[in-house]
Amino acid sequence: MKQITKAAELQQAVAEAKAQNLEIGLVPTMGALHEGHLSLIERALKENDFVVVSLFVNPIQFNNKEDLAKYPRTIEADLDLIKSLELRIKGACTDRLVAFTPTVEEMYPDGEPTEIVYHFGPVEEVMEGPRRPGHFSGVAVVVRRLFDLAQPKRAYFGEKDYQQVAVIRALLEQIKYPIELVPCPIVRADDGLALSSRNMRLSPAARAIAPTINATLEQAAEMAEYEDVDDVKEWVVDTLASFHEVNPSLCPDGLKFEPEYFEIVDARTLQPIENWDAAGDLGAVGCIAVWLDGVRLIDIVKF
Ligand code: AMP
């Protein structure tokens, strides 16, 4: 792995790779890497000749400045993890992988854009969109800059951020770049909790009950066989919101789940559905955001 911090140096490395007809894969991340990120990098290495992993905490996608300040920054450990992945993968050679770790000034030489640059219509008008104004535009700005710098053939995104995948699909349609979007499955801890950089902020008691989110969603998928959409939605929210009442011994010091939303949507359009038959070719997906111990966790379930 080679670490690059300058945009011009990345462009140079990309130009050299292109001159050799190498196929380039891009994995955008905000660092604080875990096995979920590594699964994207591993897949990108399998499917491309040359891989750019970006590690950049993008300030313009944070609508909450406190969240930005608290976001973990663990660059040395991240680079070690990438190196350990390289050792793990037989045949991966170090000159095929670039870790791009720019500063904010390097990414935004003309200053951080403060206005909304992109609009994506219905896919961003639900769930995360209205709750995080400017978030998806900020994501699109940084991803487009990364597309321009890395010129990938394929770009890898995790399905944990399900709405983000739909937004990137819409971005690609808008800017007409011939890049293949590769959505990747969620990697979970052994107890089912979706891996997330934010999990490290959970107290031990909160971490112990956090797998309830996934367990509840899995039960919801079973209920979908015989219950209506609205009933499943209500049951998920009620189950999590009342968890501390049902399990007081597991919830010391006022610990509780506070669901922000749980929506059952068409997996392609992300529009809420009212009955199971309304889902289109990709089926239905349930998307949840829930607060636990001051940390906002998201997860999905496919129906
Ligand atoms: P982040 O650094 O959180 O912005 O994530 C970078 C990329 O990794 C995004 O495409 C995420 O969806 C993906 N990702 C994060 N967590 C996971 C996970 N547990 N499983 C698979 N992909 C993930």
Side-chain angles (χ1 to χ4, degrees):
M1 178 207 66
K2 181 176 180 194
Q3 184 185 4
I4 290 181
T5 56
K6 301 283 179 212
E9 208 185 318
L10 177 61
Q11 283 171 307
Q12 177 65 33
V14 165
E16 283 166 20
K18 293 246 163 199
Q20 296 173 58
N21 277 328
L22 301 185
E23 292 184 354
I24 300 175
L26 171 68
V27 184
T29 83
M30 296 204 299
L33 301 186
H34 49 64
E35 287 293 332
H37 300 112
L38 295 190
S39 73
L40 269 57
I41 301 171
E42 183 168 359
R43 178 148 176 204
L45 278 166
K46 277 202 189 109
E47 296 177 353
N48 302 272
D49 309 306
F50 188 83
V51 170
V52 177
V53 184
S54 61
L55 299 92
F56 176 63
V57 181
N58 177 32
I60 66 167
Q61 74 185 66
F62 286 81
N63 52 311
N64 177 338
K65 290 298 151 201
E66 200 186 322
D67 194 25
L68 172 62
K70 280 194 197 157
Y71 203 85
R73 289 161 173 86
T74 57
I75 194 80
E76 292 310 320
D78 291 346
L79 297 175
D80 285 346
L81 262 186
I82 297 175
K83 283 180 207 153
S84 69
L85 173 71
E86 283 184 307
L87 290 175
R88 224 158 69 189
I89 304 176
K90 241 173 97 188
C93 49
T94 47
D95 57 352
R96 300 209 292 130
L97 183 54
V98 161
F100 181 49
T101 58
T103 59
V104 174
E105 294 72 29
E106 196 63 27
M107 282 303 269
Y108 301 122
D110 301 327
E112 291 172 34
T114 50
E115 276 152 31
I116 305 282
V117 182
Y118 291 99
H119 296 275
F120 299 106
V123 287
E124 69 165 350
E125 283 161 11
V126 292
M127 302 190 287
E128 299 291 304
R131 293 173 174 92
R132 304 182 70 187
H135 168 68
F136 286 123
S137 177
V139 168
V141 167
V142 78
V143 168
R144 185 181 186 162
R145 174 118 172 95
L146 291 167
F147 284 165
D148 287 336
L149 292 172
Q151 294 184 42
K153 182 173 168 68
R154 300 179 189 88
Y156 295 79
F157 291 88
E159 286 187 333
K160 183 166 86 69
D161 300 276
Y162 202 82
Q163 196 171 2
Q164 175 169 275
V165 172
V167 164
I168 301 298
R169 192 175 288 128
L171 172 70
L172 284 169
E173 279 165 18
Q174 230 173 80
I175 62 180
K176 299 193 168 44
Y177 283 12
I179 296 172
E180 185 190 330
L181 170 65
V182 186
C184 302
I186 298 183
V187 176
R188 299 180 179 280
D190 289 344
D191 57 17
L193 177 65
L195 296 185
S196 163
S197 311
R198 290 188 167 89
N199 293 351
M200 63 175 81
R201 281 167 38 202
L202 295 170
S203 66
R207 177 62 189 79
I209 64 168
T212 306
I213 300 169
N214 171 245
T216 306
L217 294 181
E218 282 190 353
Q219 261 183 281
E222 284 171 25
M223 278 176 77
E225 305 284 327
Y226 53 88
E227 295 281 3
D228 291 341
V229 169
D230 277 346
D231 292 336
V232 172
K233 271 164 69 170
E234 202 179 309
W235 180 81
V236 166
V237 172
D238 288 351
T239 301
L240 288 169
S242 63
F243 183 86
H244 61 289
E245 289 163 6
V246 180
N247 304 278
S249 62
L250 298 176
C251 298
D253 308 322
L255 186 64
K256 59 178 168 184
F257 291 105
E258 292 172 282
E260 192 173 304
Y261 67 79
F262 174 61
E263 295 284 1
I264 297 179
V265 301
D266 178 282
R268 182 180 293 281
T269 66
L270 299 196
Q271 300 311 294
I273 55 169
E274 277 164 18
N275 58 72
W276 299 113
D277 296 337
D281 61 331
L282 294 185
V285 62
C287 301
I288 195 164
V290 46
W291 287 89
L292 177 65
D293 196 26
V295 183
R296 189 173 186 273
L297 301 172
I298 59 172
D299 204 345
I300 67 151
V301 61
K302 291 183 182 176
F303 289 106

